[in-house]
């Protein structure tokens, strides 16, 4: 059953990733360079929709709060984010889209995956020194959500009801997705016809 | 071919919701470590070993952390998270095939790269390789990537998701603005 769910959920996720265009490094590069934010609007809307459904589902008892999995906050999350962002801009790929793009026939994505496997191996080897540097020390309480989600077992950064706040923040994501201009730098870069 | 942002956003939102409804939030980057560990354990079978109490451990401190969670998954490839990633690749591959692929030229060098850096495949491949290295080193340092931290994390209102997202875009936007001066019409 677990394997069946992995096939269904993973297959659906990969199909959607390809259909929204994130398996195209040109679309990602144009987003990062603020040339075209359509796919940013897609991602913001998705996070909002996911949040509203999950927290709404929890409140009416349809979604198991125990399925939540909140990651720890520490300095390395920010430093790692900076590194990932740099490589994401350079290559146009992140881990999920790199694998998905290779599956869709992109040859450069195979090089991304090879580099990624080496980078992950490098982390495995350097993990003790990263830990010794204190980069993995918890900040802000570690595994915390912005509000306190009832029954989740996670602490809240604030005492606000985490499920209601989750829906409110979800709505904020949806509003921002609609408000964000698709072409913030319109007219600045000279359009070059693609081959 | 590419869904507009409203259709795409709702579809992706449903996909990440279905994941947390049925099993758990999506995540990808850990599986690079699991795959590395599987390969390394083939070369050196002493890397991952069973413990006396029925669990798994490793001579590598990263694989052994959290009671050998990664060692266990590398020893049992048929686990949810690993199959999820393989299925994701299959789903993306099927979608690409159904829409007729990206074209031979774009599969070799993506249009935006070609417009800015020319037609030498080795340059593009080197950038993809180097980018991949930094992306996965960073993702493992952060404990997650765009899937686990950004989409799943922000969806769950996790503090770590916000910290990661700010870091990722604080680097990605200036780097991309410096690199990609020429726009392309896709």
């Amino acid at each position: 059953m677990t394997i069946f769910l992995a096939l269904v959920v993973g297959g659906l996720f990969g199909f959607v990733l390809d259909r929204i265009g994130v398996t195209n490094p040109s679309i990602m590069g144009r987003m990062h360079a603020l040339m075209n934010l359509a796919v940013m609007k897609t991602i913001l809307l998705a996070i909002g929709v996911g949040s509203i459904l999950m927290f709404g589902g929890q409140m009416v008892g349809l979604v198991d709060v125990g399925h939540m999995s909140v990651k720890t906050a520490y300095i390395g999350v920010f430093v790692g984010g900076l590194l990932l962002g740099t490589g994401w801009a350079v290559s146009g790929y992140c881990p999920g889209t790199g694998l998905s793009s290779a599956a869709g026939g992109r040859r450069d994505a195979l090089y991304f995956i090879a580099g990624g496997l080496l980078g992950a191996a490098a982390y495995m080897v350097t993990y003790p020194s990263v830990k010794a540097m204190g980069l993995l020390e918890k900040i802000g309480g570690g595994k915390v959500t912005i509000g306190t989600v009832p029954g989740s077992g996670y602490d809240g950064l604030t005492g606000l009801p985490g499920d209601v706040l989750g829906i409110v923040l979800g709505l904020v994501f949806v509003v921002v997705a609609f408000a964000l201009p698709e072409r913030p730098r319109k007219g600045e870069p000279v359009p070059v016809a693609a081959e | 071919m590419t869904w507009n942002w409203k259709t795409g956003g709702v579809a992706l939102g449903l996909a990440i919701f279905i994941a947390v409804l049925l099993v758990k939030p999506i995540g990808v980057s850990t599986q690079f470590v699991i795959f590395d560990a599987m390969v390394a354990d083939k070369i050196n079978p002493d890397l991952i070993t069973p413990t006396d109490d029925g669990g798994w451990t490793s001579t590598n401190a990263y694989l052994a952390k959290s009671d050998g969670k990664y060692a266990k998954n590398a020893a049992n490839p048929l686990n949810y998270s690993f199959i999820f990633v393989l299925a994701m690749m299959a789903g993306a591959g099927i979608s690409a095939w159904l829409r007729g692929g990206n074209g031979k030229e774009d599969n070799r060098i993506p249009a935006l790269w070609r417009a800015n850096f020319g037609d030498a495949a080795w340059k593009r491949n080197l950038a993809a390789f180097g980018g991949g290295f930094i992306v996965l080193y960073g993702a493992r340092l952060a404990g997650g990537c765009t899937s686990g931290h950004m989409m799943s994390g922000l969806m769950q209102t996790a503090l770590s998701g916000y910290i990661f997202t700010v870091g990722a875009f604080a680097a990605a936007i200036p780097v991309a603005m410096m690199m990609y001066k020429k726009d392309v019409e896709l």
Side-chain angles (χ1 to χ4, degrees), chain A residues 18-19 51 89 91 108 117, chain B residues 36 95 99 124 155 180 183:
Chain A
D18 185 71
R19 287 297 154 131
S51 218
S91 65
D108 56 334
L117 289 169
Chain B
D36 276 340
S95 165
R99 63 178 168 78
R124 171 60 192 164
M155 177 181 80
Y180 308 116
D183 198 357

Side-chain angles (χ1 to χ4, degrees), chain B residues 74-160:
Chain B
N76 305 284
L78 282 179
N79 63 75
Y80 175 83
S81 301
F82 194 69
I83 301 296
F84 170 88
V85 167
L86 296 182
M88 171 193 77
M89 294 175 71
I94 290 167
S95 165
W97 176 67
L98 288 175
R99 63 178 168 78
N102 313 305
K104 204 176 165 190
E105 278 301 285
D106 214 60
N107 274 341
R108 199 171 72 90
I109 301 173
L112 183 68
W113 183 275
R114 180 177 287 116
N116 284 279
F117 302 105
D119 203 35
W122 70 267
K123 274 193 212 170
R124 171 60 192 164
N125 293 337
L126 188 66
F129 183 87
F133 185 95
I134 311 172
V135 165
L136 264 299
Y137 192 91
R140 287 298 83 213
L141 171 57
C145 63
T146 345
S147 301
H149 264 315
M150 201 178 287
M151 286 197 276
S152 301
L154 294 182
M155 177 181 80
Q156 298 178 97
T157 71
L159 173 64
S160 51

Side-chain angles (χ1 to χ4, degrees), chain A residues 27 29 51 69 84 111 116 135 147 191:
Chain A
I27 291 180
S51 218
S69 177
L84 181 138
Y111 289 84
L135 281 172

